[in-house]
Amino acid sequence: MTFSIRPAKIKDVPSIVALYFEATKLMHQISPDGFGKSMESSLNLEEENKSFTKALDDKDTVILVAEQDRKVAGFIMGVIEYHPDDLLNAPYLTVQYLCVDKKFRRTGIGKSLMKSIENWGNDKGISTLELIVWNNNEPAKALFRSLGYLPLEVRMAKKIGNKVKRQTPRRSR
């Protein structure tokens, strides 16, 4: 399968948004019970088109697309971060989205997009790339491990209910 990777253009935004919607729906489906509810209702076509269009004009943001037969088969979006955190020195590159059309998965597109964004970051003088992957997204974790990425931390959550428990005041004797 032959495909090319190139910087995204304004004409690619509808395809990028469609892939983003597809990936968001999949992530909602695989989200742990009780989590991911906001993804269910947060998709707004007009807002996402504006958001990705605006990102194309940001000098610290890159969107690359994988194209096969003039069709966008996947995209990756990264942002240069200028604030250090506990583990990373700034500046570093954060991959915000990596989405590959389900028809093109397991063809090397995701790996090529990751290598291309690494090259973009390297050209900008960035020495660290970071990303977040859901713990139950085994295909993505396998991809990132195969590219040399290491887990740095684990984010944990627990649903404890929506009701605030009131304590009954004690009566004094």
Side-chain angles (χ1 to χ4, degrees), residues 4-137:
S4 61
I5 305 230
R6 61 171 174 76
K9 300 174 185 171
I10 193 77
K11 71 177 180 82
D12 299 317
V13 169
S15 297
I16 290 168
V17 170
L19 285 172
Y20 170 74
F21 275 32
E22 178 186 308
T24 301
K25 288 176 185 174
L26 175 63
M27 295 309 289
H28 179 261
Q29 290 171 359
I30 69 169
S31 63
D33 287 342
F35 294 93
K37 185 79 172 155
S38 64
M39 290 187 296
E40 203 171 21
S41 60
S42 67
L43 299 178
N44 179 303
L45 184 63
E46 187 176 330
E47 285 179 25
E48 297 306 336
N49 275 305
K50 286 180 186 176
S51 176
F52 281 102
T53 299
K54 183 178 177 183
L56 286 174
D57 291 330
D58 183 346
K59 70 176 179 55
D60 292 327
T61 300
V62 61
I63 303 175
L64 303 172
V65 296
E67 186 177 63
Q68 187 199 24
D69 299 328
R70 297 187 179 157
K71 178 182 177 359
V72 174
F75 80 93
I76 192 166
M77 179 172 154
V79 176
I80 297 175
E81 307 282 356
Y82 291 99
H83 59 281
D85 72 7
D86 293 337
L87 298 171
L88 304 175
N89 293 324
Y92 57 93
L93 182 61
T94 297
V95 171
Q96 292 190 325
Y97 306 112
L98 172 61
C99 302
V100 177
D101 186 313
K102 59 185 164 195
K103 294 177 284 201
F104 297 101
R105 291 189 186 141
R106 304 193 58 82
T107 64
I109 287 176
K111 188 173 277 194
S112 292
L113 285 166
M114 287 298 297
K115 288 181 179 181
S116 294
I117 204 167
E118 289 173 6
N119 290 336
W120 182 89
N122 194 42
D123 290 347
K124 297 282 185 183
I126 304 296
S127 61
T128 303
L129 191 145
E130 67 102 23
L131 51 84
I132 295 173
V133 60
W134 284 21
N135 195 47
N136 62 347
N137 190 343

